[in-house]
Structure formats: C-alpha cells, structure tokens
Amino acid sequence: MPEYLTYVWRPVPGKRHAFPFAATKLDPEETATAYCGTEVGAVELHDLDEIAWILEPTCMDCWKHLADNPPTK
C-alpha cells in the first residue's frame, strides 16, 4: 500500500471521477484526465460544493480501473 496519496476522487459535473493526484496541481486552464479517460478543466477539481459529493454518482469505470490496477509506490 502506498504511503502517500496517489489518486483523488472529485465530483466534477456528471460523475465522481478518480484522477491522479498530480491533476490537483495543474494550472486552472489545463485539462485533467480521469482514469476512465474523461477530460475536464483542471479548475473543476477545486472549490467543490459539498452537495456535489452527495449528488454525483461514482464513475464505475474509474472504480474498476483502480480496483484492477491498485496504485503502488
């Protein structure tokens, strides 16, 4: 199990996707790519409304990717 954060879940419009942790460090005008291949503006990964965590469903493609390919160091 990694000793540091390797991915993050973010409720971007449409679904709650998993992104590599490095995506949280992108400039706002850059594009972040989720593990399922969905692309969103990096600005969408910041300043999230708490209600989005409740309302957006989990992307099962991201979930399956992470389940099949667990992060390592």
Side-chain angles (χ1 to χ4, degrees), residues 44-73:
E44 298 289 338
L45 305 182
H46 305 288
D47 300 325
L48 303 166
D49 187 342
E50 286 186 33
I51 196 72
W53 287 97
I54 297 167
L55 297 178
E56 297 296 350
T58 298
C59 173
M60 295 310 292
D61 291 335
C62 284
W63 185 89
K64 179 149 179 41
H65 173 85
L66 291 170
D68 292 345
N69 305 285
T72 59
K73 282 187 174 185

Side-chain angles (χ1 to χ4, degrees), residues 2-72:
E3 296 178 18
Y4 52 89
L5 194 58
T6 58
Y7 63 91
V8 294
W9 287 91
R10 291 292 189 264
V12 296
K15 287 189 179 172
R16 188 179 319 110
H17 291 281
F19 295 87
F21 181 74
T24 64
K25 306 295 184 192
L26 295 172
D27 289 330
E29 65 277 356
E30 293 184 272
T31 300
T33 304
Y35 284 101
C36 68
T38 296
E39 294 184 348
V40 299
V43 71
E44 298 289 338
L45 305 182
H46 305 288
D47 300 325
L48 303 166
D49 187 342
E50 286 186 33
I51 196 72
W53 287 97
I54 297 167
L55 297 178
E56 297 296 350
T58 298
C59 173
M60 295 310 292
D61 291 335
C62 284
W63 185 89
K64 179 149 179 41
H65 173 85
L66 291 170
D68 292 345
N69 305 285
T72 59

